Amino acid sequence: MNSVDSVPARSGDNPDLVAMHRDLVGLVHQLEESIDFAPDAPTIVAITEQMADVNARVTSIGRVLLAAQTEEITRHAKAVSDAIPAVEKEIKNLQDCKRLVSSVAALLGTVDEAVRVATLACG
């Protein structure tokens, strides 16, 4: 198992952030498993770099889990959840490394916005 595990939900935690955190931890695990099927060393490097980027967001979300529930956080968390299947599809196909990196980058942009909003909600 990866060193990044999902934190257990506590009373008062923002449920959307908890779900996003859980989804991203799952994505890290999928990326980690995809290394076994990578066709070459550059792809392995790209996958591990994406894992590091996703792990950074997992940590950021962990820091703001107690943020108040807001409509804006809900909207961003849903956008992350909606984007993960496309990234998972790229992981399964693993034919175009650039598309995988682009998919993860787009997802992380959405995550970053959700974390920014949650950070603001923390006051």
Side-chain angles (χ1 to χ4, degrees):
M1 182 167 268
N2 195 309
S3 63
V4 175
D5 290 319
S6 185
V7 295
R10 298 169 301 251
S11 174
D13 281 351
N14 180 309
D16 292 317
L17 291 176
V18 170
M20 186 170 26
H21 190 264
R22 181 196 60 237
D23 291 345
L24 290 174
V25 168
L27 183 58
V28 169
H29 290 297
Q30 288 184 27
L31 285 165
E32 187 175 48
E33 290 173 359
S34 75
I35 290 172
D36 293 337
F37 305 102
D40 52 36
T43 301
I44 292 171
V45 169
I47 291 169
T48 56
E49 288 173 351
Q50 297 311 301
M51 286 172 54
D53 288 344
V54 175
N55 271 328
R57 275 41 172 225
V58 168
T59 300
S60 294
I61 294 166
R63 289 185 185 129
V64 295
L65 270 175
L66 292 175
Q69 182 70 26
T70 68
E71 211 174 288
E72 193 172 5
I73 291 172
T74 300
R75 186 169 40 84
H76 288 295
K78 182 174 180 346
V80 170
S81 292
D82 291 348
I84 285 181
V87 175
E88 291 172 335
K89 181 179 176 185
E90 291 300 330
I91 291 169
K92 285 182 181 154
N93 291 337
L94 206 57
Q95 294 177 5
D96 187 340
C97 187
K98 285 183 181 182
R99 273 195 354 215
L100 172 63
V101 171
S102 293
S103 294
V104 172
L107 172 71
L108 294 180
T110 304
V111 171
D112 290 345
E113 185 60 17
V115 170
R116 184 190 70 75
V117 169
T119 302
L120 292 173
C122 286

